[in-house]
Amino acid sequence: MSELEWQESWSVGNPVLDDDHKKLLAIIQMISDYRPESADLTQLFAELEDYTKYHFAREEGLMDGADIPDLAAHLKSHRSFEEWLHSVRYAFTVSQESRSLLLDSVDEYLRKWLINHILKTDMDYKGLI
Ligand SMILES: [Fe+2]
């Protein structure tokens, strides 16, 4: 799959949150580049889950008190992504076979979700936090 690179047009106007997004993209890129002999997939997903939680907490803290359109829907999309990620991590522990079968679609979904979330949902707070 193509290289996942953050672009200036993806800036949400807050350098700390932009850096978080870059870090999440980097972890997803490592998942895309995953080879069993060179990386530990369980470790990569643990890192993605931890950093996602950390980032969402930061973003939600900054949005709290600001007049963000559709905040409830934004928070809901964070919670459902966390749930999805958690269930994928569980599915990966079931067997090596389920891992291989899932990995391509999981990778594609991660890329689409993050890019779509930054460009559509997160842009709603640009200039407000
Ligand atoms: Fe968000």
Side-chain angles (χ1 to χ4, degrees):
M1 235 177 268
S2 59
E3 194 78 15
L4 201 53
E5 254 182 281
W6 188 87
Q7 296 159 38
E8 201 54 51
S9 60
W10 297 3
S11 174
V12 293
N14 179 311
V16 174
L17 297 176
D18 283 343
D19 282 348
D20 278 355
H21 289 152
K22 288 174 197 170
K23 168 84 177 165
L24 289 170
L25 288 166
I27 301 171
I28 295 171
Q29 184 62 50
M30 285 193 277
I31 291 171
S32 293
D33 295 339
Y34 167 76
R35 294 286 172 276
E37 59 281 7
S38 61
D40 180 345
L41 194 61
T42 312
Q43 180 61 41
L44 285 174
F45 270 88
E47 200 183 335
L48 181 61
E49 195 172 9
D50 289 351
Y51 205 84
T52 298
K53 279 193 182 146
Y54 173 75
H55 164 63
F56 284 169
R58 181 176 3 233
E59 197 176 81
E60 288 167 23
L62 288 166
M63 288 195 289
D64 190 30
D67 195 13
I68 310 290
D70 267 335
L71 182 60
H74 193 148
L75 299 183
K76 204 173 162 201
S77 80
H78 285 180
R79 297 295 82 78
S80 41
F81 184 70
E82 283 170 348
E83 276 171 33
W84 176 83
L85 202 47
H86 196 72
S87 54
V88 164
R89 264 187 84 186
Y90 174 73
F92 280 166
T93 64
V94 177
S95 72
Q96 184 64 46
E97 204 178 26
S98 69
R99 265 182 195 208
S100 326
L101 288 170
L102 280 172
L103 193 55
D104 282 352
S105 55
V106 162
D107 181 32
E108 199 178 333
Y109 180 79
L110 281 172
R111 290 164 165 260
K112 280 192 187 147
W113 191 89
L114 188 64
I115 294 168
N116 187 59
H117 188 78
I118 295 172
L119 294 182
K120 297 212 172 105
T121 316
D122 287 348
M123 284 302 169
D124 283 349
Y125 63 64
K126 191 168 185 173
L128 298 173
I129 61 175

